[in-house]
Amino acid sequence: MTKYDVLTIGNAIVDIIARCNDSFLAENGIIKGAMNLINADRAELLYSRMGPAVEASGGSAGNTAAGVASLGGRAAYFGKIANDQLGEIFTHDIRAQGVHFQTKPLDSHPPTARSMIFVTEDGERSMNTYLGACVELGPDDVEAEVVAQSKVTYFEGYLWDPPRAKDAIREAARIAHANGRETAMTLSDSFCVHRYRDEFLELMRSGTVDIVFANKQEALALYETEDFNLALTMLAKDCKLAAVTLSEEGSVVVRGTECVRVGASAIEQVVDTTGAGDLYAAGFLFGYTTGRSLEDCSKLGNMAAGIVIGQIGPRPMVSLASAAKEAALL
């Protein structure tokens, strides 16, 4: 028996979200639609220039854990915070979702990570992230018993930015496979893929990672091609299972010679795309770890993503389990 369906590992970040226009991005040198790593001084500058903002616990893998829990799954999370106000916010929020979170906080600097997220009128988000305490996540933070008792251990590609996290991920993958479990990763964003392309491919081809999540742009970047069908073919070759989101076109899943395409869920309005890929992974992994078909896994992922982009903030404000029941997915 397993204690958890999904364990996620990631950068523990509090999101500070504000609306802006495209000219604000240009004036402040912000790359639209990307996750930009910044230092403490840049974080202070951008914060001072932000309009009215909403604070919400985020971090890619943390959002995924929250989504799994909202669907009724058993979720756990590893991520490094500091013993400060933002750290308390993050801890409260993820535990309130029903997620196991016991990573020991730092007692001193650097402070808990924060990401200034600027949302433009088209719903696109541009993230400016100061990693802070996240860079201290290391092998000592891997709770071996939690990994051993999780069906899937999932981590975010963003973890390849702080160096000690790589060792933590490899240790978690070793424990997972030694206990007959599976591992998964999200490629996070195309800029992240460009930085670590060779390492990501090695993780897949060596079997360190079994399941890969990506969006179309990330998949194309991984194989340095404009041919999406070629990228899908390569993904099917390089890992056991891959799920690729296609924005308004839904998603496609490949496993060996199997290919499953599912259309997007109907939504009234795109408000904020923050967390869309994270919640797709949550829905898919909940379905996967509870024995559902790839088609149903994709439908759950599309539904969860559709709900989160209709609101401000990266974690669902409604019960995903209730929404899935209404959609006859549970």
Side-chain angles (χ1 to χ4, degrees):
M1 293 292 291
T2 54
K3 188 172 182 180
Y4 304 103
D5 297 311
V6 183
L7 159 67
T8 74
I9 309 175
N11 290 324
I13 298 170
V14 175
D15 293 336
I16 304 170
I17 307 166
R19 292 192 169 279
C20 74
N21 53 33
D22 286 330
S23 61
F24 178 91
L25 300 183
E27 289 165 6
N28 288 280
I30 297 168
I31 302 172
K32 185 173 181 176
M35 192 283 283
N36 311 284
L37 289 176
I38 59 175
N39 60 25
D41 290 341
R42 173 78 167 158
E44 290 293 332
L45 175 66
L46 290 179
Y47 185 70
S48 71
R49 295 179 178 177
M50 290 182 94
V54 174
E55 290 184 357
S57 295
S60 176
N63 298 337
T64 299
V68 170
S70 184
L71 280 160
R74 302 165 302 164
Y77 176 73
F78 299 164
K80 203 72 169 176
I81 57 169
N83 194 6
D84 56 20
Q85 183 180 5
L86 289 183
E88 290 174 5
I89 290 171
F90 186 92
T91 300
H92 168 270
D93 287 354
I94 198 161
R95 288 180 180 169
Q97 290 273 2
V99 177
H100 168 92
F101 174 55
Q102 294 294 334
T103 306
K104 185 179 179 182
L106 293 174
D107 285 326
S108 58
H109 287 287
T112 298
R114 69 287 312 266
S115 182
M116 269 67 70
I117 301 178
F118 297 94
V119 182
T120 41
E121 292 176 359
D122 57 2
E124 186 62 82
R125 80 280 187 271
S126 305
M127 298 178 288
N128 302 267
T129 304
Y130 169 57
L131 288 176
C134 292
V135 300
E136 299 301 323
L137 181 75
D140 291 347
D141 296 305
V142 174
E143 300 164 49
E145 193 64 21
V146 175
V147 179
Q149 293 186 36
S150 299
K151 293 177 183 176
V152 173
T153 292
Y154 166 97
F155 68 93
E156 58 190 68
Y158 289 137
L159 279 177
W160 245 241
D161 286 313
R164 293 188 70 233
K166 297 182 183 183
D167 296 331
I169 292 302
R170 293 187 187 279
E171 175 64 6
R174 184 194 66 76
I175 296 167
H177 288 136
N179 286 275
R181 313 302 185 197
E182 290 182 299
T183 58
M185 75 173 292
T186 171
L187 298 185
S188 293
D189 78 15
S190 55
F191 292 89
C192 188
V193 174
H194 287 306
R195 289 196 295 274
Y196 304 111
R197 177 179 177 272
D198 291 341
E199 291 178 72
F200 286 176
L201 287 171
E202 187 275 332
L203 288 171
M204 295 158 59
R205 292 168 178 170
S206 66
T208 303
V209 168
D210 302 300
I211 304 166
V212 173
F213 290 88
N215 64 28
K216 184 177 181 178
Q217 291 72 32
E218 293 156 6
L220 293 172
L222 184 64
Y223 294 106
E224 297 182 319
T225 181
E226 295 300 317
D227 185 339
F228 183 56
N229 287 328
L230 173 62
L232 278 182
T233 299
M234 294 301 295
L235 276 170
K237 178 182 177 183
D238 285 341
C239 57
K240 286 173 60 176
L241 173 65
V244 183
T245 56
L246 306 171
S247 298
E248 67 275 5
E249 296 177 22
S251 59
V252 58
V253 181
V254 289
R255 180 170 59 188
T257 58
E258 192 176 1
C259 181
V260 177
R261 293 178 182 268
V262 173
S265 297
I267 58 170
E268 292 183 9
Q269 180 185 6
V270 175
V271 175
D272 173 14
T273 58
T274 309
D278 308 332
L279 270 294
Y280 174 85
F284 189 97
L285 286 171
F286 172 78
Y288 184 76
T289 55
T290 52
R292 289 167 167 80
S293 68
L294 293 184
E295 181 178 2
D296 284 348
C297 292
S298 299
K299 287 180 178 178
L300 283 163
N302 289 347
M303 180 213 72
I307 287 173
V308 83
I309 66 176
Q311 62 170 55
I312 286 285
R315 297 187 182 175
M317 297 178 183
V318 299
S319 165
L320 293 182
S322 296
K325 287 172 185 173
E326 286 181 20
L329 293 175
L330 289 184

